Each structure stands twice: as structure tokens, then as C-alpha cells.
Amino acid sequence: MLPHSLFVLSLAALAVASPAPVPAPAPTPLPAPAPVPQIASSAESIFSSVTGAVASALPTVLGSWPSLSDIEKKIGVNDGNDLQNVSASALLIPSYANFSGDSWNLRYYGLAYKLPNISTSDLDSLINDLSTNDLNSTQQALLQNRTQDLASIPIPKANLTALAFANGSAVTNSSGIQLDTTDDFGEFDQFVTVPGLGGNSSSLKVVETGILNVTGPGNGTVILVPSSGYSVVSDIDDVMRITKVYVPNQGLYNSFVQPYVNVPGIPELFAYWNKTLPGVAFHYDTTTPVQLTRTYVDYLFSNFPLGSLEMRPINLTEPSQILEARQNSLLKLFQTFPQRKFVLVGDSSSSTLLSAYPQIAEQFPNQIACIFIRNTSATDPDDKIPFSTKEFKNINNNTWFFYRTADDLFNLDIANGQCRNDSVPQNVTFGEQGGVLGNNGAVGSLVLGQTQYAAAALATVVALFLSML
């Protein structure tokens, strides 16, 4: 159970619930526009191919995660028959709802799974390349708690029945809502029209959700997002919490054996936006696999405003797949809330966001309020990896801003179109920059000749190699 008062489900109220609602289709994501090819010098091409390979690997560094088949082998699961005596569980990822007609469309999004009993030694060995030597008792407990979720085995083609509650009372009847069967990886994601939740409003509300036919936790939250207002969409790792995905072994360590630590000033900034932006809603996004949802939810909602959460689907491992998943999650948000303005927050160590944010801005320019990118290499000398700003070339200069700390953003009047703090130099080159290439201003400036390109490319590879030792 997630330790949140909103998760307390009042099953006694089912007898007075309203009739079962009819499922409503979710918006279908549109394909993102293909980037326009650009001609580059041979040295630039070599450099870009090296840094591009390095950068695209970063979202999966913590994702040198074991595959599902690897996990099954490590815990001795050969087929479904090995788990016949293990009860089914369901994970509901915090989600959102939009208003249409006279009802709310709730998004039910999550995973059906079984969690076998496994030994401590098997838990400790689930993550490749993660040293567990010399851990104290707190670190050992965190490691086992977090890796236990990774041992979740999906239930394909599962039949699930969903519930919805408002103010502790059920708004679905005792038979609940029959969801579509889960996919081949146990995942489900659909919108359902639920009457009885009140009308559209200018402020965000929260309802509780549940899954009826499982013995596991099976409960979650959905935020009822007003049709107009501002949506803050934020990456989590190295934007909200200190992960250091650009130092692979340290990123693993910070993710599995250390208490999560906030990026300084970001909780206060989000609290300020929560008070000052009209009709504001928060949507959090990460490339961390779905099995670690509960770890992230416990952290997020103890430090930041309640919101929705997007996790990496269980079956994705390639960087191109992860980029596509991020693009689709953004498309779904923009299409679900066509009258809302979006504030997108990311960081320079995430190559997926440096592509996805500009692409969504080109596709929906009238829905973009601001794009804020934290330049991790400007404030953390451990970040040696250059990043590309080329995708920002065709985006309105007044909408994007590379920042160093939360203080750079605090006094911006977002609602009146102010996205830039003129005291922070940008030096954006619309090419490869930052990391070992230099940190002039908020964004590292790039003015390199062919020899320097080759040297910088070599330094990047060396930096990545050393970070893995």
C-alpha cells in the first residue's frame, strides 16, 4: 500500500454506487514530425556520432536494467506454472482525467503482475554492475525494497475490474468497470468515462481508483485536470532529484541504495508554481521502468505537488523506443488537453527530452508556455557528456531557457509569457556543446576546429569509460 490518505478505499459504499460507466477511447497519438536533415562537416559528423551514441545511452544507463527474461532466470521462474500459487496484484500508476460533455474521462494506467517470494541474495543480484559490498543497514534495506519491485512478473492478457471513489464514497457500482485485457507485458492504459464526479472546474481535484479482483495493492489516484490552465510536465532524474545518470555507477547507487535527495530549490519552485499558475496541474515523467513506480510515488508525493506519472513501459530497452515512448506520452497530454498551456521541464543529460520537447513544440506551438532545461554540466563538474541543442533551432527563442539553478526560474512571470531570465547567458549554438566542451554561461559554448572536434570526441569516450570503472 502506498502511504497516502487518498488511497484509503471505502468498499462499504459500493452498495449505493451509480450504474457502471461506458468505456471511452483514449486519444490516439500522432506521429512526431521527422527532423530536417542537415549537412555537417566530416569532423562534426564523427563527433556527433560519438556523442550521440553516448548521450542516447544515458537514459538506459540506470537501464542497463535487467530484461524480464534475465529477472525470470535469476529468480528461477521458467513459465507461468511456476507462479500458479502466487496471487495476482495490480499497480495503478497515478494518472489524469479530462472533462468532456458532462462527465470525466479517467485514465486507468498500470501493470498486472505477480510478485514471487525470492531470497535476499537473489534480490541483491538483480541489478548488473551494482556493487553491494559495504552497505550499511539502511542502504541494504533500501536496495532490497527497491529491487523487490523489479522482480514483478507481468500477467499477460489479464482481466481487470476497476473502481473509482470520490471523497471516500464509490462512484462505480459493485460490478465495477471491466477494463480491456492487459497486453502481452501485463500493461494496461485506457480512458473510461465515469459519471458522478461533478462538473468541470478551474481547480484540480483528486479521485481514488482501485482494481477489484486482485489481492495486491491495486489502488491509485487520478487528478481531474481543468480544461484550461497550465500543466507543468517535468522529468524527474536530475531535474527534481539528484541521480547523476551521467555517472553510471553513481546513478545506479543513487537509485537503489541511497535515500532520494532533492535538487536544491526545486520543491520550493514547484510549490510556488502550484500557488501562482492558474489552474495548474503537474505531470511527472521518467525513463525508469514501471516496476519502480511505488518507489517514485513515495518520493514524489512526499516532496512535490500531487500529479500524474509516466513510467517506462516494461518491454522497452532501446534508446529509440524510449524516445518514442516519451513522445507518445507528451502527445497524449497535448491531445487530451488542447486548451491548456504547457511548461516543460527537463535537463541536458536527457537526450530524449532534448529531442522530444522541441518536436512537441513544433507540433503544438500555441500550447507551449515555456521550456526549461537544466544544464547539469554548468553546475556539476561530474557531467562530462556533451549534449545537442540543434533541435531548438526552429523553436521560438522566447519560449525556451537553459537554467542552472531553481533561482534562475523563481521570478519569471510565466502566465504573462516570460520564460527567460536575462541575467543568465544562453550561448546556445544549436549543435554539440556542454560537458567536456566547456560551460560558458548556462549552456557551454562551442567554437571548435576539426582537431578540437576529434579531441573532444575522444575525451567524451574516455570520460564515459572512466565513469563506468
Side-chain angles (χ1 to χ4, degrees):
M1 284 276 186
L2 291 174
H4 198 285
S5 59
L6 293 172
F7 295 162
V8 179
L9 303 180
S10 177
L11 295 177
L14 285 172
V16 294
S18 57
V22 178
T28 302
L30 301 173
V36 178
Q38 297 183 2
I39 300 173
S41 71
S42 58
E44 288 174 335
S45 299
I46 294 171
F47 180 78
S48 297
S49 65
V50 175
T51 59
V54 170
S56 65
L58 286 178
T60 60
V61 163
L62 299 176
S64 257
W65 307 92
S67 67
L68 178 59
S69 60
D70 290 338
I71 292 173
E72 290 174 334
K73 289 177 183 177
K74 286 187 177 183
I75 64 178
V77 173
N78 297 313
D79 55 46
N81 294 328
D82 293 332
L83 299 176
Q84 280 185 337
N85 296 325
V86 179
S87 299
S89 298
L91 170 70
L92 278 170
I93 300 171
S95 191
Y96 52 82
N98 71 334
F99 189 82
S100 62
D102 58 358
S103 299
W104 288 93
N105 305 305
L106 273 61
R107 182 186 178 204
Y108 285 86
Y109 165 49
L111 176 73
Y113 66 97
K114 292 187 175 184
L115 188 61
N117 292 321
I118 59 178
S119 67
T120 299
S121 59
D122 285 336
L123 284 175
D124 290 350
S125 66
L126 278 178
I127 307 300
N128 298 322
D129 304 321
L130 177 62
S131 175
T132 59
N133 298 328
D134 303 321
L135 297 183
N136 61 39
S137 59
T138 299
Q139 293 170 331
Q140 192 70 37
L142 286 172
L143 173 64
Q144 292 175 6
N145 181 57
R146 292 168 183 173
T147 52
Q148 182 175 3
D149 284 334
L150 275 182
S152 302
I153 305 301
I155 306 175
K157 307 304 180 185
N159 294 311
L160 301 176
T161 302
L163 305 170
F165 300 81
N167 300 318
S169 297
V171 293
T172 49
N173 63 21
S174 57
S175 61
I177 307 163
Q178 187 64 50
L179 299 180
D180 296 339
T181 57
T182 63
D183 64 16
D184 291 338
F185 295 92
E187 294 170 318
F188 56 94
D189 187 355
Q190 72 177 97
F191 282 80
V192 175
T193 300
V194 179
L197 292 174
N200 195 13
S201 68
S202 60
S203 60
L204 182 142
K205 299 178 182 178
V206 181
V207 299
E208 304 91 45
T209 54
I211 298 296
L212 184 63
N213 49 341
V214 296
T215 57
N219 49 24
T221 56
V222 173
I223 55 173
L224 306 185
V225 180
S227 297
S228 61
Y230 286 81
S231 280
V232 176
V233 181
S234 181
D235 188 22
I236 298 171
D237 296 296
D238 293 311
V239 175
M240 300 168 65
R241 80 173 185 93
I242 298 172
T243 309
K244 295 199 173 189
V245 299
Y246 40 82
V247 185
N249 282 351
Q250 191 169 352
L252 284 171
Y253 195 77
N254 289 338
S255 293
F256 285 95
V257 303
Q258 289 287 74
Y260 288 174
V261 177
N262 296 328
V263 172
I266 296 300
E268 293 80 5
L269 176 66
F270 280 34
Y272 175 72
W273 285 345
N274 195 32
K275 292 180 180 179
T276 59
L277 287 178
V280 68
F282 289 83
H283 310 276
Y284 307 112
D285 197 346
T286 178
T287 55
T288 300
V290 65
Q291 301 101 311
L292 291 186
T293 296
R294 275 188 282 274
T295 296
Y296 270 61
V297 168
D298 287 345
Y299 162 70
L300 285 172
F301 299 159
S302 296
N303 295 274
F304 297 95
L306 195 68
S308 68
L309 177 61
E310 296 284 341
M311 303 292 292
R312 185 208 300 183
I314 200 169
N315 59 319
L316 303 188
T317 56
E318 297 298 323
S320 60
Q321 294 174 318
I322 296 168
L323 171 58
E324 184 178 2
R326 279 211 137 142
Q327 289 171 327
N328 283 339
S329 69
L330 286 169
L331 283 164
K332 184 173 288 187
L333 272 172
F334 276 67
Q335 292 173 341
T336 303
F337 304 105
Q339 299 175 45
R340 293 182 67 80
K341 296 285 189 179
F342 287 84
V343 178
L344 309 180
V345 190
D347 69 285
S348 59
S349 70
S350 174
S351 63
T352 58
L353 290 183
L354 292 180
S355 294
Y357 281 178
Q359 287 181 11
I360 201 73
E362 285 192 80
Q363 202 165 349
F364 300 93
N366 295 330
Q367 288 181 254
I368 295 294
C370 298
I371 302 176
F372 298 130
I373 303 295
R374 179 191 178 214
N375 181 17
T376 52
S377 67
T379 55
D380 189 348
D382 289 339
D383 185 0
K384 308 295 184 185
I385 310 300
F387 54 90
S388 174
T389 54
K390 67 179 181 179
E391 300 281 358
F392 287 83
K393 188 172 184 178
N394 296 321
I395 307 302
N396 183 342
N397 283 357
N398 293 323
T399 60
W400 53 262
F401 175 63
F402 284 76
Y403 71 97
R404 302 160 303 188
T405 68
D407 287 342
D408 294 340
L409 305 178
F410 239 105
N411 294 317
L412 297 179
D413 188 358
I414 295 172
N416 286 312
Q418 185 186 13
C419 300
R420 291 205 166 194
N421 181 340
D422 292 335
S423 69
V424 181
Q426 294 298 281
N427 299 326
V428 173
T429 64
F430 306 114
E432 305 284 346
Q433 57 190 110
V436 293
L437 301 181
N439 293 327
N440 299 327
V443 180
S445 178
L446 173 61
V447 184
L448 297 177
Q450 181 166 332
T451 302
Q452 290 169 303
Y453 260 106
L458 177 60
T460 300
V461 175
V462 171
L464 182 64
F465 174 76
L466 290 176
S467 70
M468 292 180 174
L469 295 179

